[in-house]
Amino acid sequence: MSDSTQVLDETALLDRIQAAEGAGRDILDAATREVIGRAPVQDISDVDAAVARAKAAQPGWEARGHDERIALLMKTADAIDANAEALARLLSREQGKPLNGPNARFEVGACSGWLRATAATVLEPQVVVDDGEVHAEMHYRAVGVVGAIGPWNWPMMIGIWQIAPALRMGNTVVVKPSENTPLSVLAMLSVMNDVLPADVLIGVSGDREVGARLAAHPNIDKVMFTGSTATGRKIIESSAGNLARLTLELGGNDAGIVLPGADPKAIAQDLFWGAFINTGQTCAALKRLYVHDSIYNEVVDALKDVVEQTPMGNGLDEKNVLGPLQNKAQFDIVARLVDDARANGGRIVTGGAPASELGELFYQPTLVADVADGVALVDEEQFGPVLPIIRYSDVEEAIASANQLEFGLGASVWGDRDEARKIATRIQSGTVWINSHGGVHPMIPFGGVKGSGYGLEFGVEGLKSVAVPQIING
């Protein structure tokens, strides 16, 4: 642990974390497909060693108390800020998101901001009975060792969503980044570990076998996972063996409902970013849009104007705000769903094909109109730069459509605020935004229902989720 903040360039960050020459696994630039660096490839024995170290360090970390942990987390935020540009450039290359817009620089800034907000969040003991005869309080203590398994779409920011509250409450954390985007996360952990005590925060880089071992490890007390519903179900099965507590943020296929009377031009920009943030690769992005027949064509036209004015390309080019898909598997899903929608009568308003002139994994930002429930693009999560737009005539139809799928992460309603709020209460999702979509705040709890998982993150509820309650009675 060092009291001085080190400022590193991208090369120095990579030198710290990547495997030795001839070892590890090549990680490719999402835009150019050139090698960025070599990710370490660790195995089950490395997981076991990391968990053992974290378990040994946990009592001492908890014993430091809230004030000292808060101070150290504030310093980690300073360290991230000091290295923000190098981290953002590495993230942009590895994940594909451009530097500008709500993308790489935004994500790195969110990491330090979330650390500070989480560190400053107060969780006081709660007096549950005080009637003159009985006095009972509920306190919250560290759960122990947290296994944090992250995704590839917002690898650093979602990593901090898991790490910050866990450390704040006195847990130690073993982080398993996605095998698609390990370098940016390992670089962030390295910067944080310039401040933190040894073995409080440990990264383990490997494949799904490594993640599975971490989730099932007998000395893991809590698992935080963001990823697919299918993998989430496997983690639930693993938790039967170690009785680990779980926070699962799983798949989403968020619906938006545009009410009659909404102003198409006024909402078009926000609708666009609700759907296309991070080139559509966001769990709580707007993924299917239901628009009332009375303004359907106007909404389609207004969105088309925004899409066609938004620059896409290599993320290191300062003018771009949309980038490539992060990996070939996801690119293939997007292409398949658009082709299927076209074959089933969908009208390609704009886009609808690979942007091969930009690179292997670029797909044109695409709007598909005149589709309906039952078409794969509507019913499946596309996780890419494509938005299906579905016409409805009765708001009851739209509500039923919004609720029909297994997912329930987020949703949005657009139009008169009072009417929208009434409709919001009838939608089965963890969050419903009014006249916006996808915004998160460190003090506003966030989590899904149904197949989108369970458990809350952020704010006081997020701290409780990485702690165990203890009743002091007397």
Side-chain angles (χ1 to χ4, degrees):
M1 180 176 64
S2 171
D3 290 330
S4 61
T5 299
Q6 297 190 55
V7 180
L8 305 166
D9 62 19
E10 187 181 344
T11 300
L13 274 176
L14 275 171
D15 287 344
R16 277 184 167 200
I17 62 170
Q18 67 180 333
E21 192 73 38
R25 180 172 58 87
D26 287 345
I27 300 296
L28 304 184
D29 186 305
T32 68
R33 311 310 288 156
E34 297 171 350
V35 175
I36 302 171
R38 302 173 307 280
V41 178
Q42 296 173 280
D43 58 22
I44 287 176
S45 66
D46 295 301
V47 176
D48 292 345
V51 173
R53 288 162 51 202
K55 183 176 177 64
Q58 192 276 324
W61 175 242
E62 184 176 10
R64 286 174 180 261
H66 289 290
D67 289 345
E68 187 174 350
R69 292 197 299 273
I70 289 168
L72 286 168
L73 289 178
M74 292 294 189
K75 288 182 179 179
T76 65
D78 293 341
I80 288 174
D81 281 343
N83 291 278
E85 186 63 15
L87 288 167
R89 291 182 67 84
L90 179 57
L91 173 64
S92 179
R93 295 175 67 199
E94 182 180 48
Q95 200 282 330
K97 64 186 66 182
L99 290 170
N100 290 322
N103 290 301
R105 288 178 177 135
F106 167 86
E107 179 167 351
V108 175
C111 290
S112 57
W114 228 273
L115 273 163
R116 292 189 180 97
T118 304
T121 301
V122 176
L123 176 55
E124 298 284 2
Q126 176 187 354
V127 176
V128 290
V129 175
D130 187 10
D131 60 7
E133 296 182 3
V134 176
H135 181 88
E137 297 176 351
M138 182 181 291
H139 294 247
Y140 290 89
R141 300 189 56 180
V143 66
V145 181
V146 173
I149 304 174
W152 51 258
N153 58 332
W154 295 90
M156 294 174 62
M157 185 176 73
I158 291 178
I160 287 295
W161 291 356
Q162 299 169 335
I163 294 164
L167 292 180
R168 166 71 177 79
M169 292 305 294
N171 305 287
T172 51
V173 187
V174 179
V175 177
K176 192 276 179 188
S178 167
E179 54 265 44
N180 289 321
T181 53
L183 296 177
S184 54
V185 176
L186 294 176
M188 179 180 69
L189 300 185
S190 176
V191 167
M192 295 176 71
N193 279 325
D194 284 339
V195 176
L196 295 170
D199 296 338
V200 165
L201 178 63
I202 304 171
V204 182
S205 172
D207 59 16
R208 293 183 180 182
E209 183 181 54
V210 167
R213 175 58 177 168
L214 182 61
H217 198 286
N219 288 325
I220 287 290
D221 303 290
K222 167 86 184 187
V223 175
M224 304 184 78
F225 171 74
T226 297
S228 72
T229 300
T231 303
R233 289 192 171 102
K234 292 178 182 176
I235 289 174
I236 293 169
E237 292 173 2
S238 297
S239 71
N242 58 10
L243 293 180
R245 290 162 168 79
L246 302 177
T247 297
L248 304 174
E249 196 239 280
L250 307 179
N253 195 347
D254 288 15
I257 299 174
V258 180
L259 302 177
D263 183 338
K265 291 185 178 179
I267 64 176
Q269 191 78 26
D270 289 336
L271 282 172
F272 170 81
W273 282 116
F276 287 86
I277 187 171
N278 194 26
T279 315
Q281 299 165 110
T282 298
C283 296
L286 174 59
K287 298 192 175 82
R288 48 195 174 113
L289 183 63
Y290 296 88
V291 181
H292 190 265
D293 184 74
S294 62
I295 55 172
Y296 183 85
N297 291 330
E298 290 86 349
V299 169
V300 170
D301 290 343
L303 272 170
K304 179 177 184 288
D305 289 343
V306 177
V307 168
E308 293 183 345
Q309 294 170 17
T310 304
M312 169 181 275
N314 190 311
L316 297 183
D317 185 329
E318 297 281 350
K319 75 175 184 297
N320 294 322
V321 292
L322 296 176
L325 278 301
Q326 198 283 322
N327 57 78
K328 183 63 164 58
Q330 196 58 46
F331 178 92
D332 290 344
I333 289 170
V334 169
R336 171 181 63 82
L337 291 173
V338 173
D339 290 346
D340 178 81
R342 183 188 286 111
N344 281 280
R347 172 166 58 95
I348 306 300
V349 176
T350 188
S356 303
E357 71 280 5
L358 298 176
E360 178 185 339
L361 298 184
F362 286 88
Y363 198 94
Q364 297 172 356
T366 300
L367 299 175
V368 183
D370 303 340
V371 286
D373 294 345
V375 173
L377 179 60
V378 178
D379 289 2
E380 297 180 27
E381 183 182 21
Q382 69 272 43
F383 220 67
V386 181
L387 180 64
I389 309 172
I390 305 103
R391 187 190 303 262
Y392 76 88
S393 58
D394 184 334
V395 72
E396 294 298 325
E397 299 172 24
I399 294 170
S401 291
N403 289 338
Q404 72 171 343
L405 301 181
E406 70 166 329
F407 302 107
L409 189 57
S412 55
V413 187
W414 305 74
D416 176 77
R417 183 173 180 272
D418 291 339
E419 184 63 26
R421 287 176 64 88
K422 292 176 185 176
I423 292 168
T425 63
R426 300 176 58 195
I427 295 178
Q428 298 165 2
S429 68
T431 299
V432 182
W433 292 275
I434 307 298
N435 292 320
S436 66
H437 191 105
V440 291
H441 186 287
M443 295 307 297
I444 300 175
F446 179 74
V449 297
K450 302 196 297 185
S452 293
Y454 51 77
L456 289 172
E457 300 177 275
F458 312 162
V460 172
E461 295 303 320
L463 296 185
K464 290 179 180 178
S465 77
V466 288
V468 289
Q470 181 183 46
I471 303 298
I472 308 296
N473 191 340

